[in-house]
């Protein structure tokens, strides 16, 4: 049986609701990722992670993957390079709320959003809480970057600031998932400069004691904020293994919580 929500008929979905199926909604965006990666990098990674998690869990629990949200919010700075589509924050939040609200109203009770774009984290956290309020339920948000942080740090070759945007983490994953869309000859290193101990200098290092959006303090030439030149498919494979392992561990707890 297909794990995709869109492949089901209405009666098949009714049966999945009856069985208490888990829904995973991948959330990416369309945005420039430097000269070496496709503009769908975030959505591509989000879909791949959601599909891999569904495969991992399918033997034990009914699970469906929804079509990814492919357009979202990026800071205006990213529009300097062609390929960035920006949906205003409130429009994006309302849209995600309505998509999620529809499946919760339909009768699904286990919904996990899978967030693959840094500029969405605060917005999705707020939408998640609003959904909990509106539907008296417990929505989860999982982030492949956070789930894989430890495993990535064990194998990474870039320093702090090397994995923010179009850097080692994303490039390694796309090299693993679909090397045919990566042009490593165009990859250049432009690490994020302001990566102090106070801030999560990239998604994986730093203490996160403060929130400091440093994008406007640095003019990137390439549209990269990181170091993709040290990326490897093997690193991408290690990241994916961690996402499936840690994400799967969490989702098992999520589907059984509340006695469902
Ligand atoms: Zn990205």
């Amino acid at each position: 049986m297909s794990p995709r929500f869109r492949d089901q008929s209405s009666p098949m979905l009714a049966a999945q609701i009856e069985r208490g199926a888990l829904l995973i909604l991948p959330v990416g965006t369309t945005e420039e990722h430097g000269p070496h990666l496709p503009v769908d990098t975030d959505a591509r990674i989000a879909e791949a992670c959601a599909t891999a998690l569904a495969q991992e869990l399918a033997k034990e629990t009914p699970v469906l993957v929804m079509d990814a949200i492919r357009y979202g919010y990026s800071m205006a700075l990213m529009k300097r390079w062609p390929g960035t589509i920006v949906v205003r924050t409130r429009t994006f939040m309302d849209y995600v709320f309505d998509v999620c609200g529809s499946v919760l109203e339909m009768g699904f009770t286990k919904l996990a959003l899978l967030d693959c774009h840094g500029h969405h984290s605060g917005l999705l956290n707020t939408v998640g809480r609003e959904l909990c309020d509106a539907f008296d339920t417990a929505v989860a948000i999982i982030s492949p970057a956070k789930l894989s942080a430890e495993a990535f740090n064990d194998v990474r070759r870039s320093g702090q600031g090397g994995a923010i945007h179009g850097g080692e983490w994303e490039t390694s994953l796309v090299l693993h998932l679909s090397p045919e869309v990566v042009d490593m000859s165009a990859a250049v290193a432009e690490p994020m400069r302001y990566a102090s101990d106070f801030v999560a200098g990239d998604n994986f290092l730093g203490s996160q004691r403060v929130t400091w959006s440093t994008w406007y303090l640095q003019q990137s030439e390439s549209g990269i904020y990181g170091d993709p030149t040290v990326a490897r498919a093997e690193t991408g494979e290690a990241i994916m293994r961690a996402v499936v392992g840690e994400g799967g561990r969490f989702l098992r707890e999520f589907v059984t919580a509340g006695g469902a």
Side-chain angles (χ1 to χ4, degrees):
M1 199 197 81
S2 165
R4 288 194 196 87
F5 181 93
R6 69 160 181 262
D7 290 339
Q8 317 298 309
S9 65
S10 182
M12 286 160 88
L13 287 174
Q16 294 283 13
I17 291 167
E18 191 64 34
R19 298 173 67 201
L22 166 69
L23 284 186
I24 305 176
L25 173 63
V27 186
T29 201
T30 300
E31 175 183 64
E32 72 82 21
H33 272 75
H36 67 302
L37 285 179
V39 295
D40 84 336
T41 290
D42 291 356
R44 183 181 294 261
I45 292 172
E47 276 181 339
C49 290
T51 304
L53 279 165
Q55 275 165 1
E56 166 76 6
L57 295 170
K59 278 176 241 103
E60 356 171 349
T61 192
V63 52
L64 291 173
V65 177
M66 297 177 72
D67 279 340
I69 305 270
R70 292 191 155 269
Y71 300 104
Y73 164 73
S74 296
M75 291 174 81
L77 162 95
M78 308 312 285
K79 289 195 278 192
R80 277 184 53 201
W81 301 274
T84 303
I85 291 171
V86 178
V87 177
R88 285 163 291 162
T89 52
R90 284 147 194 88
T91 308
F92 171 77
M93 290 171 73
D94 285 347
Y95 183 70
V96 174
F97 183 94
D98 285 350
V99 171
C100 294
S102 296
V103 291
L104 293 171
E105 210 178 306
M106 215 176 277
F108 285 98
T109 56
K110 299 290 181 182
L111 172 64
L113 281 63
L114 188 146
D115 173 19
C116 265
H117 175 53
H119 293 173
H120 280 165
S121 59
L123 307 179
L124 290 178
N125 283 351
T126 302
V127 171
R129 287 183 196 281
E130 287 175 349
L131 286 163
C132 295
D133 281 342
F135 294 92
D136 188 17
T137 188
V139 171
I141 301 162
I142 61 175
S143 152
K146 290 176 184 159
L147 289 169
S148 67
E150 227 173 287
F152 174 63
N153 280 335
D154 285 346
V155 295
R156 70 184 292 169
R157 302 200 285 192
S158 62
Q160 197 169 45
I164 305 247
H165 177 73
E168 185 182 1
W169 190 85
E170 288 181 319
T171 306
S172 294
L173 264 175
V174 184
L175 278 173
H176 167 59
L177 297 170
S178 34
E180 71 283 1
V181 298
V182 186
D183 178 6
M184 283 305 281
S185 70
V188 291
E190 287 200 68
M192 187 70 109
R193 262 183 239 141
Y194 297 93
S196 83
D197 286 347
F198 283 104
V199 196
D202 49 38
N203 291 328
F204 314 95
L205 297 171
S207 65
Q208 287 185 305
R209 279 181 288 170
V210 302
T211 297
W212 183 26
S213 184
T214 57
W215 294 78
Y216 281 92
L217 296 178
Q218 180 174 348
Q219 288 289 332
S220 168
E221 289 301 318
S222 61
I224 293 167
Y225 290 80
D227 183 0
T229 63
V230 292
R232 296 171 295 179
E234 304 91 279
T235 303
E237 200 181 343
I239 293 168
M240 191 51 90
R241 223 176 8 250
V243 170
V244 171
E246 289 299 287
R249 209 157 64 82
F250 167 71
L251 289 173
R252 281 184 192 98
E253 185 175 331
F254 178 64
V255 292
T256 53

